[in-house]
């Protein structure tokens, strides 16, 4: 099946409850909104891929390093970013960790005059502190490369949400900041800023399912050491596949339009039969997943002799595995092939051999 068209904000269908904020705490040395915007907008970039887009920010202008969310760039064959009013320029992925939902990009050619954002301490945040989200949300109109990021203000609702697992199609988020500064599709990967224009989070989640006004950013204190590792070239916990929970009601809408009816039928048959697992949207050529003969439409029900029914459970196994390790996989067939004696719903097995380089990528 073809690669899905993704929205650039992860959607949480179930959320962790947090403390609701009030009007926000302001101090004499806080910057006013215009100052925050003028300082931060030049370093906030629009990330453009073939299948989707999102946001990011330059955090090391000398080396041209850009932080963003992994789900914004994962599986994209090519990427560009827009900086300010400049034309889109090519970038490449330096390092990525889908299980942390973080990635580091860099420009493919040297750039001059770059501005960067500084990190603050997310541990210093308190409920009701003022925060700002910057990014490039999807919008009406015919200008896909808007030259200025959108500004939304809000407050911290809960400064420390631990181990959020919002959906079977998303990883577990070890440390997030819950806030009310609106995060729309396209905002993922953009910065969450404090009143001093410092990055205290990387926006990634928007709560739905009847819950309004709750948004989540990966805390800066958690993200910084991960970004350092990724900037060194590590591609961790990425066997070269894209997964969703088999029970996710949004599954069929994440594949190509011509495949949606078939995927919907597969999902309903397997769920009705009590099958739990993760659905493979696609695999990247020559990746460990590709070499294990996995492809779009496959369903994985077990890894390393343990059942898996969510992306978070898959990540738990990947994060505890070693480079070069062979992980036994179990799954069920999603098609019939009399010539190969394959029947829908019957089990299969394979070995996923993780890459021997840094992390578990290929």
């Amino acid at each position: 099946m073809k690669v899905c068209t993704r929205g650039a904000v992860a959607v949480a269908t179930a959320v962790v409850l947090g403390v609701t904020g009030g009007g926000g705490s302001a101090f004499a040395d806080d910057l006013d909104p215009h100052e925050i915007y003028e300082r931060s907008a030049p370093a906030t970039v629009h990330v453009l891929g073939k299948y989707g887009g999102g946001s990011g920010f330059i955090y090391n202008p000398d080396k041209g390093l850009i932080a963003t969310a992994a789900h914004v760039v994962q599986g994209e064959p090519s990427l560009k970013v827009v900086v300010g009013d400049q034309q889109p320029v090519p970038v490449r992925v330096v390092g990525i960790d889908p299980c942390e939902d973080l990635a580091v990009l860099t420009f493919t050619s040297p750039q001059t005059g770059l501005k960067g954002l500084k990190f603050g301490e997310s541990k210093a945040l308190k409920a009701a502190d003022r925060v700002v989200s910057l990014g490039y949300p999807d919008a009406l109109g015919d200008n896909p490369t808007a030259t200025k990021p959108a500004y939304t203000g809000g407050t911290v609702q809960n400064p420390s949400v631990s181990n959020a697992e919002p959906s079977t199609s998303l990883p577990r988020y070890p440390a997030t900041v819950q806030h009310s500064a609106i995060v729309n599709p396209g905002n993922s990967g953009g910065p969450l800023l404090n009143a001093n224009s410092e990055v205290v989070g990387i926006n990634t989640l928007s709560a739905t399912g009847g819950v309004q006004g709750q948004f989540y950013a990966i805390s800066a204190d958690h993200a910084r050491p991960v970004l350092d590792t990724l900037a060194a070239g590590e591609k961790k916990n990425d066997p070269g596949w894209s997964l969703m929970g088999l029970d996710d009601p949004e599954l069929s809408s994440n594949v190509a339009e011509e495949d949606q009816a078939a995927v919907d039928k597969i999902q309903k048959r397997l769920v009705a039969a009590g099958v739990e697992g993760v659905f493979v949207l696609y695999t990247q050529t020559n990746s460990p997943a590709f070499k294990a003969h996995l492809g779009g439409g496959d369903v994985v029900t077990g890894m390393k002799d343990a059942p898996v029914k969510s992306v978070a459970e898959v990540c738990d196994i990947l994060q505890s595995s070693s480079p070069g390790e062979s992980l036994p996989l179990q799954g069920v067939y999603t098609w019939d092939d009399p010539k190969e004696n394959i029947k829908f719903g019957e089990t299969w097995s394979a070995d996923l051999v993780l890459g021997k380089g840094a992390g578990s990528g290929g």
Side-chain angles (χ1 to χ4, degrees):
M1 294 179 183
K2 295 183 180 180
V3 178
C4 65
T5 300
R6 301 182 303 281
V9 61
V11 177
T13 54
V15 298
V16 178
L17 294 178
V19 179
T20 56
S25 299
F27 300 94
D29 56 350
D30 288 354
L31 301 175
D32 70 39
H34 294 286
E35 289 179 297
I36 293 175
Y37 187 81
E38 292 303 320
R39 289 190 183 192
S40 306
T44 304
V45 304
H46 194 180
V47 182
L48 302 172
K50 180 179 179 180
Y51 305 113
S55 304
F57 61 93
I58 300 167
Y59 70 97
N60 187 326
D62 294 334
K63 295 183 178 180
L65 297 181
I66 301 166
T68 188
H71 72 263
V72 171
V73 300
Q74 187 181 17
E76 291 286 1
S78 61
L79 290 162
K80 293 182 178 181
V81 300
V82 179
V83 183
D85 58 0
Q86 303 299 308
Q87 291 297 309
V89 293
V91 294
R92 63 179 178 85
V93 176
V94 179
I96 187 170
D97 188 341
C99 291
E100 292 282 0
D101 201 8
L102 291 170
V104 172
L105 316 177
T106 193
F107 297 92
T108 58
S109 60
Q111 303 293 309
T112 59
L114 295 176
K115 305 295 183 181
L117 294 179
K118 294 182 179 180
F119 283 98
E121 293 186 344
S122 52
K123 66 182 179 182
L125 291 173
K126 298 179 181 179
D129 281 354
R130 291 180 177 177
V131 287
V132 168
S133 289
L134 285 186
Y136 291 85
D138 295 344
L140 297 176
D142 56 1
N143 184 14
T145 56
T147 58
K148 291 186 177 182
Y151 172 112
T152 58
T155 60
V156 173
Q157 297 168 326
N158 187 339
S160 181
V161 178
S162 301
N163 295 319
E165 190 175 341
S167 163
T168 57
S169 295
L170 295 173
R172 184 178 295 107
Y173 291 85
T176 59
V177 177
Q178 180 185 318
H179 62 89
S180 63
I182 295 174
V183 176
N184 286 313
N187 276 119
S188 266
L192 180 72
L193 304 163
N194 63 16
N196 293 316
S197 196
E198 297 169 327
V199 178
V200 290
I202 300 175
N203 282 317
T204 187
L205 290 174
S206 175
T208 60
V211 178
Q212 296 182 348
Q214 289 184 1
F215 308 97
Y216 297 84
I218 301 169
S219 75
D221 294 345
H222 178 81
R224 287 188 68 180
V226 177
L227 294 175
D228 289 342
T229 300
L230 300 181
E234 288 205 16
K235 297 184 178 180
K236 302 179 67 177
N237 308 312
D238 184 17
W241 57 20
S242 180
L243 307 174
M244 289 187 71
L246 181 61
D247 63 353
D248 193 322
E250 300 297 323
L251 176 60
S252 62
S253 64
N254 281 270
V255 300
E257 185 175 356
E258 60 265 32
D259 294 323
Q260 289 179 2
V263 169
D264 185 60
K265 184 177 180 180
I266 290 169
Q267 181 185 32
K268 288 179 178 177
R269 287 183 65 184
L270 291 177
V271 170
V275 176
E276 294 180 315
V278 291
F279 187 92
V280 180
L281 293 174
Y282 64 86
T283 58
Q284 297 171 348
T285 303
N286 295 323
S287 67
F290 180 86
K291 293 175 182 178
H293 304 292
L294 295 175
D298 285 333
V299 170
V300 178
T301 59
M303 289 182 66
K304 213 173 178 178
D305 301 319
V308 292
K309 57 182 181 294
S310 68
V311 170
E313 291 179 349
V314 171
C315 284
D316 287 342
I317 294 171
L318 290 174
Q319 289 171 324
S320 65
S321 301
S322 303
E325 186 174 349
S326 180
L327 307 183
L329 301 180
Q330 298 81 41
V332 296
Y333 289 110
T334 57
W335 69 91
D336 293 298
D337 188 344
K339 293 183 179 180
E340 298 293 332
N341 199 29
I342 291 174
K343 294 183 179 180
F344 184 97
E346 289 188 342
T347 59
W348 54 261
S349 61
D351 291 314
L352 177 70
V353 181
L354 301 179
K356 294 183 179 180
S360 58

